[in-house]
Amino acid sequence: MKDYKRDFIEFMVQSDVLKFGDFTLKSGRKSPFFMNAGAYVTGQQLHRLGQFYAKAIHDSFGLDFDVVFGPAYKGIPLAVVTAIALDELYGKEVRYCADRKEAKDHGADKGNLLGAQLHDGERVVIVEDVTTSGKSIDETYPKLKAAADVQVVGLMVSLNRQEVGKGGRMAAIDEISQKYGFPTASIVTMSEVTEALYDHEVDGKVVIDDQTKAAIDAYYQLYGAKE
């Protein structure tokens, strides 16, 4: 596992973004872990977050693209900090774009999108926090294609939960790739998280002990992606 992946896993724990316990998800599933990207709230956290996304994008998709797109709402700050980090780490100048939940019907920037204007032939990387059902991509991909004939280079999420999506076999992030024909990747997977944190201390406390590890294993027996 690359060092920045281990750093990112500890960063999620230290930022109180990744938690372990008993949680009920939107889907109704009882999960032993929960991720809330809304907990990144300080300048330092956002600065580091953008760097992790930039490194993962560089490793997974390269740097041959023009725009970073973030689905509203959590994807908007992700797109901004990632664009900044790409310039900072790689000298790569990209623009950011995001969608609006409600179209703006007045002013020079009216329409479904905010940020950069999109043009035919441009290459776009989409950034999200975590994908559990693919719903946000189902909503935003048509907006992207309606704005211009762009090519999506890939989708980058921070954590691949590696549990079955709507189809009941493969992970949601893989369902998206199959449905829309562009590659998908994550900064880390839940397998990597478990490997890095099992019996490992962060700030003096073991994050995943034997009991938590057993709960995670049991969860994936029920909901783990089969492909």
Side-chain angles (χ1 to χ4, degrees), residues 37-225:
Y40 296 119
V41 292
T42 71
Q44 184 184 57
Q45 287 172 338
L46 292 167
H47 179 229
R48 291 191 68 195
L49 181 62
Q51 291 181 328
F52 287 122
Y53 268 90
K55 289 175 182 178
I57 288 169
H58 171 268
D59 282 2
S60 298
F61 307 136
L63 296 175
D64 183 16
F65 59 95
D66 310 289
V67 178
V68 179
F69 178 86
Y73 290 103
K74 288 182 180 178
I76 298 174
L78 290 181
V80 173
V81 298
T82 300
I84 293 170
L86 286 164
D87 176 67
E88 179 182 38
L89 294 180
Y90 303 108
K92 174 65 178 177
E93 180 79 341
V94 298
R95 292 169 290 131
Y96 99 92
C97 181
D99 68 316
R100 305 178 194 269
K101 291 290 189 181
E102 302 84 22
K104 186 178 178 183
D105 61 3
H106 62 281
D109 61 342
K110 65 182 180 181
N112 290 319
L113 303 179
L114 59 87
Q117 294 282 325
L118 298 177
H119 304 97
D120 290 351
E122 289 186 323
R123 294 163 61 82
V124 177
V125 169
I126 304 173
V127 290
E128 275 205 305
D129 56 346
V130 64
T131 297
T132 53
S133 69
K135 181 181 177 183
S136 65
I137 300 299
D138 288 338
E139 293 174 349
T140 57
Y141 184 76
K143 294 181 184 178
L144 270 175
K145 296 299 285 186
D149 186 18
V150 298
Q151 177 187 350
V152 176
V153 173
L155 164 67
M156 178 63 65
V157 303
S158 57
L159 174 66
N160 180 358
R161 290 182 60 101
Q162 295 179 294
E163 58 190 87
V164 292
K166 291 181 289 189
R169 286 200 60 82
M170 64 177 65
I173 193 171
D174 297 320
E175 289 181 342
I176 290 170
S177 182
Q178 186 179 77
K179 181 176 182 178
Y180 292 107
F182 54 76
T184 57
S186 60
I187 303 175
V188 293
T189 66
M190 197 57 205
S191 296
E192 291 171 327
V193 168
T194 304
E195 175 191 337
L197 295 180
Y198 178 49
D199 204 25
H200 177 74
E201 290 187 1
V202 176
D203 296 335
K205 180 181 178 183
V206 172
V207 182
I208 298 180
D209 57 17
D210 289 341
Q211 182 178 354
T212 303
K213 175 68 161 53
I216 293 170
D217 290 345
Y219 185 78
Y220 281 99
Q221 283 293 318
L222 288 174
Y223 303 117

Side-chain angles (χ1 to χ4, degrees), residues 9-22:
I9 291 166
E10 292 199 6
F11 171 65
M12 284 194 290
V13 175
Q14 291 170 330
S15 301
D16 211 25
V17 167
L18 181 62
K19 300 180 180 182
F20 296 88
D22 296 306

